Amino acid sequence: MRKPERQIIPYRAKVVEPISLLPYEERVRRIEACGNNLFRLGSHEVYIDLITDSGTGALSVHQMGRMMIGDEAYAGSRSFFEMERQIRESMGYRYTIPVHQGRAGERVFDFVLIKKHMIVPGNSHFDTTKAHIEFAGGRAIDCTIDAGRTSEGYHPFKGNIDIPRLESVIREYGARHVAYVLVTVTCNSGGGQPVSMANIREVRRVADQYGLLVVLDAARFAENAYFIKTRETGYAHKSVPEIVQEMCSYTDACIMSAKKDALVPMGGFIAVRDDLLYERLKAPTILFEGFYTYGGMSGADMEALAQGLREVTDESYLAYRIGQVRRFGELLQKFGVPIVEPIGGHAVFIDARKFFPGVPEDEFPAQLLCAELYKEGGVRAVEVGSVLIGRDPDTGENIRPNLDLCRVTIPRRVYTFEHLEYVADVIRSVFEEKGPKLRHGLRFEVEAPGIRHFASTFRYVRGADGGTGDLP
Ligand SMILES: *Cc1c(COP(=O)(O)O)cnc(C)c1O
């Protein structure tokens, strides 16, 4: 028998977007001018942008081609029917409601399904998901397995829901107070940890026992399906589209941020099986988003989304995508950089407290790392730690999260592995030159109220630059 084929890159560039690296002195000046907050940088000031995988992927020639034939009719656009047909074919849901992005779907869905004091158990809800559940008067209850709550130790499906915990939560609150059970694929903890098929099946069994709806937060459904194929017994010989079909078959509805696994810059949808639920979702869609056959999307966008759903389950695409993130993480491990394990589907997380062991925990080591990576190589990563989590609303104290992380997020089909080798080299330099040396980090200059990570500014605590003299 012939040996297995080599890893291939299943696309090539046809159109390129120039990017450039500002000189070092200029990078130092710019990041200081932004108060060391990378959300305040313009993208033209960044060389390699790894702030998110949301809406940052590259379109294919087939998506671009279909965008040209987008039908911009207000009602009953042909492009809408194409998108609905594709969702039925790929995921099996009968009805589709387009929305402009994932959180808009959450707003519409929760408006209909959540009444005051209801709960939504699930596996580490996405931040807007949790916020929308609360905004509608409900509460998100995290039922992720214990193994998924730590950065160490291998478990193939760290995104799994703890089934006994789910059952006890349902019994504690009473089934009539459960709006629905939410399964997020991939789970947000650790940069996209997958959920196993067996676990989704078990969630369905429990939900049936109590007469509950199961809803899929499908943002990275294809990446999850690929992990099932490569890690779960019995799935190696199934195709990714078949695995997606089975995952969805255990659920009643899905909410999707198309900016992730539908490979489009903007868009989303709610998809449901039940016609009565579909009818109930129409009115709030019209109110918040637009008529229920476009819901905030253009015909061109709906064509690109439909095409993206086909392309994303291609196995050579997924093998390269998941493999690229893994190889990047492994390269960092080889350099001794402390990262969260196992490596997830769309991002690598650096443990900043271990990266800067000398920096006090309340001087924002992960934010410091983001600022240092920008200065060192024009790389933009994002803090997922104390700055993001904010203050306790009751005591006003800074909450100290279990982990202070710097997320390096990989956009889809955008960067080659050479780009990522450059990024790994930048991280390595900061790690070797400053990791053990820095004794101080950052403090707030202006702390923005509310969602503070977008707008706050920071100043270096004296000595944090390790004596390079570019800071007071
Ligand atoms: C991005 C995301 C959302 C929200 O979608 P937006 O398109 O950003 O509004 C919801 N859930 C998950 C899991 C996500 O990754």
Side-chain angles (χ1 to χ4, degrees):
M1 218 172 77
R2 219 187 115 67
K3 62 184 166 48
E5 297 288 349
R6 293 176 179 80
Q7 168 81 67
I8 61 152
I9 309 180
Y11 44 80
R12 60 184 173 193
K14 183 162 188 142
V15 176
V16 296
E17 183 176 18
I19 48 177
S20 60
L21 178 65
L22 292 170
Y24 175 75
E25 290 71 25
E26 196 57 28
R27 299 198 295 272
V28 170
R29 200 182 66 70
R30 305 267 178 134
I31 191 75
E32 264 185 76
C34 289
N36 295 296
N37 183 341
L38 292 94
F39 282 105
R40 294 162 57 94
L41 285 170
S43 70
H44 59 283
E45 294 169 311
V46 176
Y47 173 43
I48 296 194
D49 203 350
L50 306 175
I51 202 166
T52 181
D53 68 323
S54 181
T56 52
L59 291 165
S60 71
V61 288
H62 303 292
Q63 284 178 298
M64 303 273 275
R66 285 185 64 170
M67 287 173 81
M68 300 310 292
I69 56 167
D71 175 6
E72 306 301 342
Y74 185 93
S77 145
R78 185 182 39 71
S79 302
F80 164 72
F81 293 119
E82 278 299 317
M83 171 169 146
E84 187 179 56
R85 192 202 56 71
Q86 187 60 53
I87 291 164
R88 208 177 307 150
E89 181 186 307
S90 303
M91 306 171 108
Y93 304 110
R94 173 68 187 79
Y95 302 104
T96 287
I97 289 184
V99 291
H100 82 274
Q101 66 182 96
R103 68 198 66 186
E106 293 164 353
R107 168 121 162 90
V108 169
F109 199 79
D110 291 345
F111 180 83
V112 169
L113 279 143
I114 298 182
K115 305 274 171 299
K116 217 169 170 49
H117 304 308
M118 285 183 125
I119 60 158
V120 179
N123 50 340
S124 69
H125 312 62
F126 185 71
D127 52 8
T128 63
T129 312
K130 182 165 179 288
H132 269 302
I133 291 166
E134 290 168 1
F135 186 67
R139 253 181 78 194
I141 311 274
D142 187 6
C143 298
T144 313
I145 55 168
D146 287 334
R149 296 162 189 263
T150 64
S151 74
E152 276 139 34
Y154 180 80
H155 185 295
F157 294 101
K158 274 193 170 182
N160 279 0
I161 289 186
D162 184 328
I163 299 293
R165 186 176 296 160
L166 173 65
E167 291 207 68
S168 78
V169 164
I170 295 170
R171 274 201 292 271
E172 185 189 333
Y173 289 83
R176 66 198 177 87
H177 291 121
V178 180
Y180 54 90
V181 181
L182 185 69
V183 182
T184 300
V185 291
T186 54
C187 178
N188 300 301
S189 58
Q193 299 295 329
V195 180
S196 72
M197 191 73 86
N199 192 249
I200 304 176
R201 203 179 298 127
E202 277 296 283
V203 169
R204 175 78 268 170
R205 185 187 60 74
V206 171
D208 281 343
Q209 219 172 305
Y210 295 93
L212 301 173
L213 290 178
V214 179
V215 178
L216 198 66
D217 179 339
R220 299 179 183 84
F221 73 96
E223 290 171 8
N224 199 83
Y226 188 75
F227 279 119
I228 289 176
K229 183 179 168 80
T230 51
R231 290 184 184 173
E232 191 162 349
T233 327
Y235 287 92
H237 297 293
K238 294 228 160 100
S239 72
V240 171
E242 282 170 335
I243 295 171
V244 169
Q245 280 284 348
E246 186 181 342
M247 281 164 53
C248 296
S249 75
Y250 301 124
T251 68
D252 301 284
C254 89
I255 304 173
M256 169 94 187
S257 167
K259 303 171 74 171
K260 321 304 181 9
D261 269 355
L263 301 169
V264 286
M266 191 51 75
F269 58 85
I270 304 169
V272 301
R273 293 182 203 288
D274 182 58
D275 46 358
L276 287 178
L277 178 55
Y278 176 53
E279 291 305 321
R280 290 167 69 201
L281 292 165
K282 284 180 178 174
T285 303
I286 295 170
L287 212 59
F288 302 145
E289 287 292 287
F291 190 63
Y292 56 81
T293 63
Y294 74 88
M297 293 185 74
S298 69
D301 287 347
M302 291 192 282
E303 290 284 348
L305 192 161
Q307 180 64 25
L309 286 180
R310 295 170 68 94
E311 294 176 7
V312 79
T313 55
D314 177 76
E315 276 163 40
S316 50
Y317 158 73
L318 285 167
Y320 182 65
R321 158 77 176 157
I322 305 285
Q324 191 192 43
V325 176
R326 191 195 65 241
R327 284 184 297 137
F328 172 62
E330 286 168 354
L331 189 55
L332 293 180
Q333 282 176 321
K334 205 177 85 187
F335 296 157
V337 175
I339 64 168
V340 172
E341 284 181 284
I343 297 160
H346 65 277
V348 173
F349 280 105
I350 303 172
D351 186 333
R353 288 181 191 149
K354 289 188 186 153
F355 192 102
F356 289 127
V359 173
E361 287 187 11
D362 53 9
E363 292 181 9
F364 308 117
Q367 185 68 32
L368 171 71
L369 179 51
C370 292
E372 290 295 331
L373 295 181
Y374 177 74
K375 283 191 284 186
E376 179 65 26
V379 172
R380 176 155 71 171
V382 63
E383 195 249 24
V384 179
S386 344
V387 179
L388 177 74
I389 203 163
R391 292 179 182 274
D392 186 308
D394 297 323
T395 65
E397 292 292 310
N398 275 314
I399 301 170
R400 187 166 290 185
N402 290 338
L403 293 165
D404 198 48
L405 303 171
C406 167
R407 187 183 76 183
V408 187
T409 335
I410 317 296
R412 296 172 180 78
R413 307 194 288 205
V414 172
Y415 295 114
T416 65
F417 197 67
E418 274 174 282
H419 285 114
L420 299 185
E421 282 175 326
Y422 168 89
V423 174
D425 194 55
V426 168
I427 296 170
R428 178 192 205 169
S429 296
V430 176
F431 184 59
E432 289 175 357
E433 288 159 25
K434 296 192 167 173
K437 216 160 71 189
L438 296 197
R439 291 287 167 270
H440 284 290
L442 304 167
R443 61 181 157 77
F444 277 116
E445 185 174 54
V446 176
E447 181 178 347
I451 304 176
R452 65 183 185 180
H453 58 291
F454 291 131
S456 296
T457 54
F458 303 85
R459 214 196 291 262
Y460 273 78
V461 175
R462 186 173 294 276
D465 64 315
T468 53
D470 53 344
L471 291 154

